[in-house]
Amino acid sequence: LMGCLPYAQHAEKPSQPIEEMANDTFKAKAQTSCISPTAGKSLANSILFRGKVAPCDIVAATSLIQERKTITSVDFCKSLFKCGLTQEPPIIYQKGKYIPLPYSVCSIANSTAAHIGFDSISEKFDLMYSKRAFVHWFVGEGMESGEFSEAREDLAALSLDYKEVGADAANPRGNGEEEQLEQSFSY
């Protein structure tokens, strides 16, 4: 999942403080995909700040996100955020001119909700592959027909892995296998 602010149409004057803007990158309106950040639990997060941003503002921004519980993370995630800062201010090209911005924020997150996107891609792949659409182009370039089914199986396995991690995060006690393992290794 990726969210970026400010949008180009509102870029002439960012109206929000950096803390609010960082928080808003994890909301559905700022996402570049159709997957909502609240649909699953977060596995890893990175917030990239660009422009005139002080490190104390970054700490305040990550604290605000944690206080408001904008996103939730899985239990085994030790650090909720990795932050990056580039002091060079961003510049956008809009309406035939370059507009400098004081700052911008981009968030990149890996979430258990990623399986929604993988399932969507799988459905579209199945539809196109059933019609053998574009297969001749790939075969003509040296790809074998069997590689398509292997790729589809790999995508299904990846989607299943994300679903399992999401289910484990929703049920942290699991099915007791961890307790049995701990008891078998205790002296």
Side-chain angles (χ1 to χ4, degrees), residues 7-34:
Y7 291 125
Q9 63 264 28
H10 304 296
E12 291 174 12
K13 274 190 180 177
S15 58
Q16 295 178 305
I18 195 76
E19 296 86 6
E20 289 291 330
M21 196 178 287
N23 186 55
D24 287 351
T25 61
F26 288 100
K27 293 186 178 171
K29 69 177 183 171
Q31 295 300 308
T32 58
S33 67
C34 60

Side-chain angles (χ1 to χ4, degrees), residues 84-165:
L85 174 60
T86 301
Q87 293 291 331
E88 188 69 30
I91 298 174
I92 63 165
Y93 184 77
Q94 182 181 20
K95 298 178 185 172
K97 60 183 178 179
Y98 290 98
I99 302 170
L101 300 175
Y103 52 80
S104 67
V105 182
C106 176
S107 66
I108 303 169
N110 186 7
S111 172
T112 58
H115 74 86
I116 297 168
F118 293 136
D119 290 343
S120 174
I121 291 169
S122 296
E123 288 174 22
K124 292 174 185 173
F125 175 85
D126 291 342
L127 178 67
M128 293 189 69
Y129 189 68
S130 67
K131 297 176 182 180
R132 304 285 292 175
F134 304 107
V135 173
H136 64 284
W137 289 107
F138 293 98
V139 172
E141 291 292 323
M143 196 171 170
E144 295 179 15
S145 294
E147 292 181 62
F148 286 101
S149 57
E150 288 177 28
R152 175 62 178 93
E153 290 171 9
D154 292 345
L155 188 59
L158 184 62
S159 178
L160 183 63
D161 288 346
Y162 272 95
K163 287 177 186 175
E164 287 174 356
V165 170

